[in-house]
Amino acid sequence: MSGADQVKKKLELALLTRLSNQGSIPNSLEFATGLTSVKHPNKPKLLIDVIKSLKASGIVEAKSVTKQVSVLTKDGDRWLEEGAPEIQILKILETPMDKKSLLASVKGLGKAANPGLGVAMKNKWIGKGEGGLIERKVNVAEISDEVQAQLMKVKKEKEVSAQTLKDLKKRKMITTQKINWYKVTKGPSFTLERKEVATDITQELLQGDKWKECEFKSYAMTIEPKMQSVGALHPLLKVRTEFRQILLEMGFSEMPTNNFVESSFWNFDTLFQPQQHPARDAHDTFFLKQPRECLKLIGDYVERVKTMHEKGGHGSIGYRYDWSLDESKKNILRTHTTAVSSRMLYKLAHEKEFKPRKYFSIDRVFRNEHLDATHLAEFHQVEGLIADKGLSLSNLIGTIKSFFTRIGIDDVKFKPAYNPYTEPSMEIFGFSKELKKWIEIGNSGMFRPEMLAPMGLPEDVSVIAWGLSLERPTMIKYGYKNIRDLFGHEVDLDLIYKNPLCRY
């Protein structure tokens, strides 16, 4: 048995004996302090453990009591022993002094020096005399130290006025402290000697007949279990997991999206987006200072992309401008995950035999946008694409409807739109049951031949694609009005811990 356990045994016996003789213990803290027969530095805490254990067994009843009390600080103890700072200043000022000399003399009082001087001045105990020197105006023996007297009352827990307590606290001589104790009375199963009860059915008990004589501790079914400290998934991650599972069930494969930094070539040029397009301006895109340019591009592919931009091909006349390799090599924070789609399609085009593919990605993108309640400079994009022969707009519409139906949006509409790298292009609108209105939920289209031909894909292969943000459906799902409450430094971590599961 450890030393603490032995102390608990003694405390338990003393407590039960007192209850047997007197019927109750009004203050467990006072009882522990006054119990001189038991020695231990943590005696009050150990007694509380004993009381809780006895209460669980029904031997005692215990009611928790909490009280705010005033106690002396380290400075308060000093001024109680030495006297208030203003009284000490009076004693120091035996002869008139100039201000500089007086401040040097009271330096030993620390931070209490200035407040002490203020009190002495306010009470007119000190003031200016001849020659502007500071001198005593009263006899020290005639002044009573009220501060010291009040500190003594606080220490002895005697009654002190609220204003006095406020003044002493302001001067950092006292502080408030919360004290807990228990009021203990006899319980329904009160006894002077506790009978040991078993908490588990052990191998030793079952080997013989000992279990028949053993008393088992009853389960406290009404006691709330202790909350375990565990991690919690962010709402975005919960919705992302659901979307990912849905797309995997639809037969899509996930694309690698671990490149936040992308070259302008893969982010813009391969998508047949002209170099003078407004989206490539610094007002919309984050350009890297270091490293400013990518080190290597695929030479023959670069030439084919350049030719498509300048002269066109496959029925297109291109954009008719001088395409710049330097502009194409600039590094940026990717503005969309379509840059990853472009890389995957190029890789697909160079496989020995073309096979249909269904790809998706869900990851972070960056845009130099004005920040408001629904826009941030970084957000998550959900993107899906299908590459196959004979695809049409009806395949795209059917795939989109199938995906959105699985996330609870049954009514979907489409509106013609423009994108540099898709034709035809469509904006996607869905009726939100939560918001009870039509909302824009994504963008879609068929990748243009000017994008696919330079990659080397067969001419009869089409690619349909669509995309949406992850934040918008998450905000609707969890009822967020401001995106900054969902993502960023203003997020309430407690809210993240308590948010419910995401199910579609």
Side-chain angles (χ1 to χ4, degrees):
M1 186 182 291
S2 67
D5 287 336
Q6 290 177 355
V7 172
K8 285 182 180 180
K9 280 286 184 184
K10 293 178 181 179
L11 289 171
E12 181 176 314
L13 180 59
L15 183 137
L16 293 175
T17 302
R18 175 70 65 88
L19 285 176
S20 178
N21 295 333
Q22 299 184 9
S24 68
I25 297 174
N27 189 321
S28 61
L29 186 61
E30 291 180 357
F31 173 75
T33 306
L35 198 62
T36 56
S37 59
V38 181
K39 306 290 185 183
H40 196 277
N42 291 327
K43 189 164 54 175
K45 185 179 182 302
L46 293 177
L47 180 63
I48 287 175
D49 293 341
V50 169
I51 292 170
K52 288 180 177 179
S53 177
L54 291 170
K55 182 182 179 182
S57 301
I59 297 173
V60 303
E61 294 287 347
K63 183 180 178 182
S64 178
V65 181
T66 302
K67 183 181 179 182
Q68 291 271 8
V69 296
S70 297
V71 294
L72 301 188
T73 62
K74 188 177 179 180
D75 284 342
D77 284 326
R78 178 184 174 184
W79 310 134
L80 175 61
E81 182 180 347
E82 300 177 6
E86 50 268 31
I87 300 298
Q88 294 191 57
I89 290 169
L90 282 177
K91 293 176 181 178
I92 291 170
L93 202 59
E94 292 181 354
T95 58
M97 298 182 187
D98 58 47
K99 185 177 180 181
K100 185 177 180 180
S101 299
L102 178 59
L103 290 175
S105 299
V106 300
K107 194 174 181 181
L109 300 177
K111 294 181 179 179
N114 283 337
L117 284 168
V119 172
M121 286 279 197
K122 183 181 177 182
N123 292 339
K124 298 182 180 180
W125 294 346
I126 63 174
K128 288 186 178 181
E130 292 184 12
L133 298 178
I134 300 172
E135 62 182 13
R136 287 196 307 220
K137 299 293 185 180
V138 294
N139 187 344
V140 180
E142 297 175 356
I143 303 297
S144 61
D145 194 339
E146 287 295 327
V147 170
Q148 190 178 42
Q150 296 300 334
L151 289 173
M152 180 58 73
K153 284 185 178 181
V154 171
K155 186 166 185 177
K156 291 184 177 182
E157 297 185 12
K158 292 184 178 181
E159 188 176 346
V160 180
S161 71
Q163 185 59 48
T164 300
L165 291 174
K166 184 178 178 181
D167 294 340
L168 293 175
K169 191 173 183 179
K170 186 177 180 182
R171 296 183 69 177
K172 294 183 172 39
M173 294 181 183
I174 65 168
T175 185
T176 54
Q177 200 174 75
K178 189 182 288 186
I179 297 178
N180 300 311
W181 68 81
Y182 282 90
K183 181 180 180 181
V184 187
T185 56
K186 292 179 181 179
S189 304
F190 180 79
T191 177
L192 277 172
E193 186 176 353
R194 190 199 320 215
K195 185 178 179 181
E196 292 295 331
V197 293
T199 56
D200 292 303
I201 300 175
T202 63
Q203 183 180 352
E204 289 76 12
L205 286 175
L206 295 175
Q207 282 176 345
D209 293 331
K210 193 176 178 181
W211 62 272
K212 295 180 180 179
E213 304 169 2
C214 192
E215 184 179 335
F216 289 92
K217 185 177 181 180
S218 60
Y219 285 101
M221 305 301 291
T222 57
I223 296 177
E224 297 245 353
K226 183 180 179 182
M227 289 295 294
Q228 297 297 315
S229 180
V230 295
L233 286 177
H234 190 283
L236 279 172
L237 290 178
K238 292 183 178 181
V239 175
R240 182 190 185 279
T241 301
E242 283 292 299
F243 281 13
R244 182 176 182 273
Q245 187 60 37
I246 289 169
L247 289 163
L248 288 172
E249 289 173 358
M250 291 175 68
F252 286 79
S253 300
E254 190 166 11
M255 296 185 282
T257 55
N258 52 344
N259 275 5
F260 284 179
V261 175
E262 190 59 90
S263 67
S264 294
F265 177 77
W266 287 106
N267 196 85
F268 296 122
D269 293 299
T270 62
L271 306 181
F272 196 57
Q273 192 161 331
Q275 293 184 338
Q276 67 271 25
H277 193 280
R280 301 179 69 155
D281 189 83
H283 293 295
D284 293 291
T285 302
F286 291 107
F287 288 86
L288 268 66
K289 289 185 178 180
Q290 188 67 30
R292 185 175 179 275
E293 296 182 347
C294 67
L295 298 177
K296 188 178 180 181
L297 293 173
I298 304 169
D300 57 340
Y301 182 39
V302 172
E303 287 301 317
R304 293 197 297 272
V305 170
K306 175 183 178 182
T307 300
M308 186 62 74
H309 277 251
E310 291 183 343
K311 301 176 182 178
H314 296 270
S316 169
I317 63 173
Y319 289 115
R320 305 282 182 99
Y321 73 97
D322 293 328
W323 186 86
S324 168
L325 179 61
D326 291 337
E327 184 68 29
S328 189
K329 291 172 71 176
K330 288 180 181 179
N331 283 330
I332 63 170
L333 292 178
R334 67 182 180 206
T335 61
H336 47 201
T337 52
T338 316
V340 181
S341 302
S342 184
R343 286 180 180 272
M344 296 300 292
L345 290 172
Y346 176 80
K347 184 179 178 181
L348 176 63
H350 288 77
E351 292 183 354
K352 289 184 180 180
E353 181 184 354
F354 173 79
K355 293 181 180 179
R357 292 288 192 276
K358 298 168 79 173
Y359 292 127
F360 82 94
S361 65
I362 307 174
D363 211 339
R364 195 174 300 187
V365 297
F366 308 85
R367 295 183 189 173
N368 193 4
E369 294 191 347
H370 174 71
L371 307 184
D372 57 31
T374 56
H375 295 86
L376 291 176
E378 54 181 303
F379 58 95
H380 296 77
Q381 181 176 340
V382 182
E383 182 168 340
L385 67 89
I386 301 174
D388 200 355
K389 296 179 181 180
L391 293 176
S392 66
L393 201 62
S394 61
N395 297 113
L396 175 61
I397 291 172
T399 304
I400 291 171
K401 284 185 175 181
S402 177
F403 172 76
F404 282 104
T405 298
R406 291 168 185 251
I407 65 171
I409 300 177
D410 302 317
D411 296 330
V412 179
K413 291 181 180 179
F414 300 91
K415 175 184 173 183
Y418 167 77
N419 286 314
Y421 45 89
T422 57
E423 181 60 39
S425 305
M426 301 181 298
E427 290 179 346
I428 310 167
F429 294 83
F431 186 80
S432 170
K433 296 173 184 176
E434 293 88 351
L435 300 178
K436 294 182 173 55
K437 66 177 182 179
W438 289 90
I439 57 171
E440 184 179 351
I441 52 178
N443 220 315
S444 65
M446 300 185 68
F447 284 147
R448 295 175 63 144
E450 294 97 326
M451 172 186 166
L452 302 179
M455 293 178 177
L457 284 166
E459 289 188 15
D460 57 348
V461 170
S462 301
V463 180
I464 57 176
W466 79 97
L468 66 149
S469 78
L470 185 65
E471 280 76 3
R472 187 75 191 276
T474 305
M475 290 174 71
I476 294 171
K477 184 73 174 176
Y478 285 94
Y480 287 96
K481 302 296 183 185
N482 192 322
I483 193 171
R484 285 166 287 202
D485 295 331
L486 175 68
F487 189 62
H489 67 280
E490 296 182 13
V491 170
D492 182 355
L493 295 180
D494 189 53
L495 194 62
I496 298 301
Y497 183 79
K498 293 179 179 178
N499 69 75
L501 293 171
C502 173
R503 286 291 182 269
Y504 285 104

